Amino acid sequence: MTLPWPLEELLPHSGQMILIDDAIDTGDGWVEAGVRIAEDCLFYEPGAGIPSWIGIEYMAQTVALFSGIQAKRANQKVRVGFLLGTRRYEAATGYFELGSYLRIFVQEQWNDGKMAIFDCHIEEECRVASARLSVFQPPDLAEFLNGAST
């Protein structure tokens, strides 16, 4: 799948903080992204790889990718969101190994326009991590950060 926008336009992150490498595919309520584990990756530990707990951030950025795609398709601005919580994060390994290519899948389960829940998993040859993420996207970030109720 080729999207008409680069990752940098779909994610509210910049520079090295963009941890995902590819938008692989998307459909109704879901998206798939990819990450190459390389020595120049942020959080890479020589001789070990990327700690598997970073998988939560890979999932969160894939949720942000989903949100960015939805915004662009609706001719809206990509907005910042917040990870509220993670339920049942399970990883089959302590580290994602150098040279591996991870595929991150997120499926929207519920959304009320501000908060949403996504079932997520990461695969390499098989499923290596899974979780359920709760996220929040304020309608107006400036108002939210200045203490206005949303």
Side-chain angles (χ1 to χ4, degrees):
M1 172 203 68
T2 303
L3 292 171
W5 315 280
L7 281 176
E8 296 79 12
E9 288 184 28
L10 296 169
L11 296 172
H13 304 73
S14 63
Q16 254 194 321
M17 287 311 299
I18 295 178
L19 302 183
I20 59 176
D21 296 311
D22 303 307
I24 297 173
D25 202 1
T26 189
D28 186 27
W30 63 273
V31 71
E32 176 185 358
V35 174
R36 289 173 196 79
I37 305 302
E39 291 177 345
D40 64 347
C41 289
L42 191 60
F43 305 111
Y44 178 75
E45 295 179 12
I50 303 279
S52 62
W53 56 267
I54 299 297
I56 295 170
E57 181 61 21
Y58 293 154
M59 292 174 183
Q61 287 199 16
T62 304
V63 168
L65 173 65
F66 175 81
S67 178
I69 291 168
Q70 301 306 309
K72 288 289 193 179
R73 286 183 173 160
N75 292 318
Q76 297 175 351
K77 184 179 174 184
V78 173
R79 298 186 345 234
V80 170
F82 298 95
L83 175 63
L84 294 179
T86 304
R87 288 186 173 229
R88 297 186 305 270
Y89 183 72
E90 296 178 4
T93 183
Y95 287 85
F96 301 128
E97 295 181 6
L98 178 65
S100 58
Y101 185 78
L102 307 176
R103 296 168 67 110
I104 303 99
F105 300 85
V106 303
Q107 173 77 48
E108 185 179 61
Q109 297 300 314
W110 178 83
N111 187 331
D112 73 356
K114 293 181 186 175
M115 294 180 62
I117 297 173
F118 289 83
D119 283 336
C120 311
H121 68 272
I122 300 173
E123 294 181 0
E124 189 178 358
E125 302 275 326
C126 59
R127 188 172 290 199
V128 294
S130 62
R132 178 171 268 205
L133 301 185
S134 300
V135 297
F136 170 67
Q137 190 172 54
D140 186 312
L141 181 62
E143 282 184 24
F144 176 73
L145 293 176
N146 288 322
S149 63
T150 55

